[in-house]
Amino acid sequence: MPRFEPLPARRPALVAGASSGIGAATAIELAAHGFPVALAARRVEKCEEIVDQIKAAGGEAIAVHLDVTDPDSVKGCVERTVAELGDIEVLVAGAGDTYFGKLHEISTDSFESQLQIHLVGANRLATAVLPGMLERQRGDLIFVGSDVALRQRPHMGAYGAAKAGLVAMVTNFQMELEGTGVRASIVHPGPTKTSMGWSLPAELIGPALEDWAKWGQARHDYFLRAADLGRAITFVAETPRGGFIANMELQPEAPLASASKERQQLKLGDEGMPS
């Protein structure tokens, strides 16, 4: 007799922050692997465009409005997902943005907003889906962390504090959910080319890049792509029962030494961020 019942063939997934970037890429990848997916974000019209793309490729998906700072929005999002797709087997909590600025220069309100989105919002989502998972004795909570939670970066103190708090929360989930059949994982992206943060003006990003180089945190100009993280998160979701991935960190590979005489340092040039 197996130690665990196998995962069901149909595993509806709720992806928070799915209107762009890592969330959108994750939703597309999950759908390609047979997961029915609810794409949830404030920009629901963007989610609907991705839903059309998923359906055109033969997948199953819906778009749902979600604001993780609003408890009623979280409750409504979960209820609609369950009503249209079935019980949520996988939660990908990746809603958020980032804010550049030195801690002594940003307002406490700006600092708090990062905690509300990345930490409190993730908690709202998890506690909304957990009762059903606990009743079924299975489910995956997958949180999108950041390497900034592990190694703090100047100019990202609010974001880093929120993500560090997320690490603590996920670690507690892992301990407290042990033996319930519900798995909690966190995936830490390294520098990733998405619109999050990089749409800010150069006067905010430029000084940050200079300070990162000073602290040895901008060694080269290669970035991960959102699709890289989508594949990693899907890998976590597909892990057979009997084991789970507690923590995963994905970093961009440096340029090959043979391809360039000199490794390019990450910096803001006239052309903007590296593509």
Side-chain angles (χ1 to χ4, degrees):
M1 183 176 179
R3 293 182 299 162
F4 297 92
E5 292 294 327
L7 293 168
R10 180 181 173 83
R11 300 189 70 208
L14 171 60
V15 180
S19 60
S20 64
I22 293 171
T26 298
I28 292 169
E29 187 73 13
L30 285 168
H33 283 244
F35 290 80
V37 182
L39 290 83
R42 290 176 297 180
R43 299 182 298 170
V44 70
E45 69 284 354
K46 293 292 185 182
C47 292
E48 289 169 348
E49 293 174 5
I50 302 165
V51 165
D52 290 342
Q53 178 183 343
I54 289 172
K55 288 182 175 179
E60 182 180 359
I62 62 171
V64 187
H65 181 268
L66 172 65
D67 180 350
V68 297
T69 67
D70 180 351
D72 290 335
S73 178
V74 172
K75 181 174 181 290
C77 173
V78 170
E79 288 177 348
R80 185 181 165 199
T81 299
V82 172
E84 296 199 27
L85 295 181
D87 292 329
I88 297 169
E89 293 278 335
V90 178
L91 169 69
V92 179
D97 58 11
T98 190
Y99 188 88
F100 281 75
K102 294 182 178 179
L103 282 173
H104 69 280
E105 295 176 348
I106 67 173
S107 68
T108 299
D109 287 344
S110 295
F111 184 89
E112 183 187 14
S113 72
Q114 292 290 283
L115 298 179
Q116 286 292 330
I117 294 170
H118 295 286
L119 180 57
V120 179
N123 179 268
R124 283 196 182 99
L125 284 166
T127 54
V129 303
L130 265 170
M133 290 182 174
L134 290 169
E135 183 178 350
R136 294 186 300 276
Q137 295 188 307
R138 66 172 185 269
D140 280 290
L141 304 174
I142 305 174
F143 299 87
V144 179
S146 172
D147 67 339
V148 177
L150 310 175
R151 293 170 296 279
Q152 293 292 317
R153 287 174 179 257
H155 301 258
M156 297 187 73
Y159 177 82
K163 290 297 190 181
L166 185 67
V167 172
M169 186 181 78
V170 175
T171 302
N172 274 271
F173 271 137
Q174 290 169 348
M175 293 187 289
E176 294 168 359
L177 295 173
E178 188 169 74
T180 67
V182 180
R183 310 183 292 191
S185 306
I186 188 165
V187 177
H188 296 291
T192 306
K193 182 63 175 175
T194 69
S195 61
M196 191 181 81
W198 303 122
S199 59
L200 292 170
E203 58 265 25
L204 288 178
I205 298 177
L209 296 182
E210 292 176 6
D211 280 351
W212 294 356
K214 181 174 70 175
W215 288 94
Q217 297 173 324
R219 299 184 309 278
H220 60 79
D221 64 358
Y222 273 31
F223 281 72
L224 294 168
R225 300 298 182 256
D228 298 328
L229 275 303
R231 288 191 293 271
I233 292 168
T234 300
F235 177 81
V236 173
E238 290 189 321
T239 301
R241 297 194 72 184
F244 76 103
I245 296 169
N247 302 278
M248 177 189 289
E249 180 181 355
L250 201 64
Q251 288 289 344
E253 186 176 2
L256 294 174
S258 59
S260 174
K261 292 182 179 180
E262 183 178 336
R263 176 183 289 180
Q264 292 185 327
Q265 179 179 299
L266 178 60
K267 60 184 178 180
L268 188 69
D270 295 336
E271 70 283 0
M273 288 302 299
S275 59

